[in-house]
Amino acid sequence: MTYSENNQITDLSIIIPVYNVEKYIERCFNAISNVYKSNNKIKIEVVFINDGSTDNSLLKLVEFRNSYNYVKIISQPNLGLSEARNTGIKNANGRYLLFLDSDDWIDLDVILKQLTLTFDNKLDFLSFGMRYFFENNDDSFPRPLHPINYNKIHTGIEFLTQGYQPSSSCLFLLNRNFIIDNNLLFTPKISQQDVEFTVRLMLCAHRGYFSELIGYNYFRNFGTISLPQSQEKLEKYLSDAIIVAELIKSNIKNYDIKDKDVIKTIQKNYNSVIWNLLWRFIVKPKEVSYPFKVKCIHELSNKKLYPIKGALKTRFQRITCLFFNVETLLKLFYKFKSH
């Protein structure tokens, strides 16, 4: 991938993939523009990646660009969230990057305060907290904290072994040079891409920081860019978990990891992805067909991801795996619950 020349004249690039979100994009952008009017000592750019939208999203983006000189629009065919973010990385000029989904919004004042901390400490990344909002519900809920050392600088591996749960890439301020030097791009054409991306992020980072401050607002709705909207897309979303687990496992070889504790931590993460898939088939028995479930088990087996071997995160996972790993019994149970 070819990157734009980065003269580091911008402090922060906010990368926003856009696909058919005309209903939400103004809220997303206004949360930035309204704060930036009175807090513009730090230079930002907002990089919209129009990922083949067919509604009026692009018209709204043009309105933003005509009114604000820090807005950039890049249009491409519909390639998906991963490729849109990669395009943003390629074209960003900021010292630090922040990914923002177009139906969510950020608390920019919190982000800018944290950005100063990243500059002062030359961090590879800084992570902040998130609160959830739900459609047709005015209540919000903070995301539970990770079982890690907050407000201290550690390597990414230290955070991973402490118990960081791989999650949204939108909760990070990312040093752009660090991202480029380590070729930390998103895997194309898969969902759940953030899980495997943030594992690689942790394995590469020498200076990371987790803040307890909340800077991101996640809006849960059924039309979001990252959630499946048909049975076909649902099945792809679920089967992509197998690819994600395989990618996480491959890091042991790709990064030549020898430390037993780190290997155990990576095992916990890819095994948990597999466990979550098998458990979902139990708690949502009619969500997908029995043949699809069997197909997933066979694919896991072919990739040497099943039966589940090695470390898991919780005692409940370890106990239930005694059942999960008996393939004949698991298939019979799935078949019974599917009727």
Side-chain angles (χ1 to χ4, degrees):
M1 175 177 282
T2 302
Y3 298 92
S4 67
E5 290 295 326
N6 186 356
N7 297 319
Q8 307 233 322
I9 58 172
T10 301
D11 296 311
L12 175 65
S13 296
I14 302 174
I15 298 169
I16 309 178
V18 174
Y19 179 71
N20 290 354
V21 285
E22 60 177 331
K23 182 179 178 181
Y24 304 109
I25 192 62
E26 287 188 45
R27 179 183 63 189
C28 176
F29 180 69
N30 288 343
I32 298 170
S33 61
N34 290 340
V35 173
Y36 194 56
K37 289 176 183 177
S38 57
N39 191 358
N40 57 9
K41 293 181 181 179
I42 292 177
K43 293 183 179 181
I44 72 168
E45 66 173 1
V46 178
V47 184
F48 287 108
I49 311 300
N50 175 41
D51 193 43
S53 295
T54 57
D55 65 356
N56 291 319
S57 294
L58 180 57
L59 293 177
K60 292 183 178 293
L61 301 186
V62 172
E63 290 177 7
F64 301 155
R65 185 180 60 188
N66 290 342
S67 300
Y68 300 92
N69 60 9
Y70 54 84
V71 172
K72 180 190 296 185
I73 303 172
I74 300 168
S75 288
Q76 64 183 31
N78 181 226
L79 300 176
L81 183 58
S82 289
E83 289 284 31
R85 287 174 175 170
N86 289 342
T87 298
I89 295 171
K90 175 183 175 181
N91 290 277
N93 289 309
R95 293 169 61 189
Y96 280 81
L97 311 176
L98 185 152
F99 300 110
L100 172 58
D101 287 347
S102 48
D103 46 2
D104 301 334
W105 66 99
I106 56 173
D107 294 337
L108 185 63
D109 51 349
V110 174
I111 300 299
L112 295 181
K113 184 182 297 184
Q114 298 300 292
L115 188 63
T116 301
L117 183 62
T118 66
F119 293 159
D120 293 343
N121 291 280
K122 299 180 180 179
L123 299 177
D124 295 327
F125 73 78
L126 182 145
S127 182
F128 41 84
M130 173 174 69
R131 65 175 66 86
Y132 295 97
F133 288 84
F134 295 88
E135 202 165 18
N136 303 320
N137 190 334
D138 293 332
D139 295 332
S140 64
F141 308 90
R143 186 187 190 279
L145 296 176
H146 300 282
I148 58 176
N149 292 332
Y150 280 84
N151 307 316
K152 292 184 179 180
I153 297 174
H154 289 284
T155 67
I157 287 178
E158 287 171 337
F159 282 125
L160 201 58
T161 54
Q162 286 170 19
Y164 166 72
Q165 307 291 321
S167 55
S168 174
S169 62
C170 294
L171 304 183
F172 290 88
L173 291 168
L174 299 167
N175 184 302
R176 182 177 182 270
N177 287 338
F178 160 73
I179 293 295
I180 293 172
D181 291 345
N182 289 279
N183 196 33
L184 287 173
L185 299 173
F186 290 88
T187 302
K189 302 187 185 306
I190 65 167
S191 50
Q192 307 183 51
Q193 60 276 90
D194 285 7
V195 175
E196 74 89 20
F197 174 86
T198 51
V199 170
R200 285 187 285 125
L201 171 66
M202 293 298 140
L203 292 174
C204 293
H206 295 289
R207 295 180 61 80
Y209 186 97
F210 278 81
S211 169
E212 295 174 279
L213 295 178
I214 294 177
Y216 196 92
N217 302 289
Y218 175 78
F219 182 65
R220 182 83 173 195
N221 74 86
F222 294 106
T224 181
I225 193 171
S226 58
L227 292 177
Q229 299 167 42
S230 68
Q231 190 64 27
E232 180 182 0
K233 290 182 178 180
L234 172 63
E235 291 184 0
K236 183 183 185 308
Y237 175 83
L238 295 174
S239 60
D240 279 351
I242 301 172
I243 299 174
V244 168
E246 185 179 30
L247 288 169
I248 295 173
K249 182 179 180 180
S250 70
N251 288 317
I252 297 173
K253 180 179 180 181
N254 294 343
Y255 290 98
D256 193 26
I257 296 172
K258 305 297 185 184
D259 186 287
K260 291 182 179 179
D261 289 336
V262 180
I263 292 174
K264 184 177 180 180
T265 298
I266 294 174
Q267 284 179 342
K268 287 181 179 180
N269 281 285
Y270 70 74
N271 280 337
S272 287
V273 172
I274 301 163
W275 185 92
N276 286 333
L277 178 65
L278 300 179
W279 179 251
R280 180 165 178 158
F281 291 161
I282 288 177
V283 297
K284 296 184 177 182
K286 299 186 185 301
E287 186 177 47
V288 292
S289 68
Y290 170 70
F292 176 79
K293 296 170 189 174
V294 172
K295 177 184 174 183
C296 287
I297 292 174
H298 289 168
E299 188 172 350
L300 285 166
S301 180
N302 290 337
K303 294 180 180 295
K304 301 188 185 306
L305 295 169
Y306 178 86
I308 297 175
K309 298 177 181 178
L312 282 155
K313 291 184 178 180
T314 69
R315 184 170 181 266
F316 183 68
Q317 287 180 337
R318 291 190 290 273
I319 292 172
T320 50
C321 264
L322 298 175
F323 164 64
F324 284 174
N325 282 345
V326 182
E327 183 175 344
T328 303
L329 187 59
L330 183 62
K331 288 179 179 178
L332 284 173
F333 186 83
Y334 283 160
K335 189 172 185 179
F336 173 76
K337 295 292 286 185
S338 294
H339 293 302

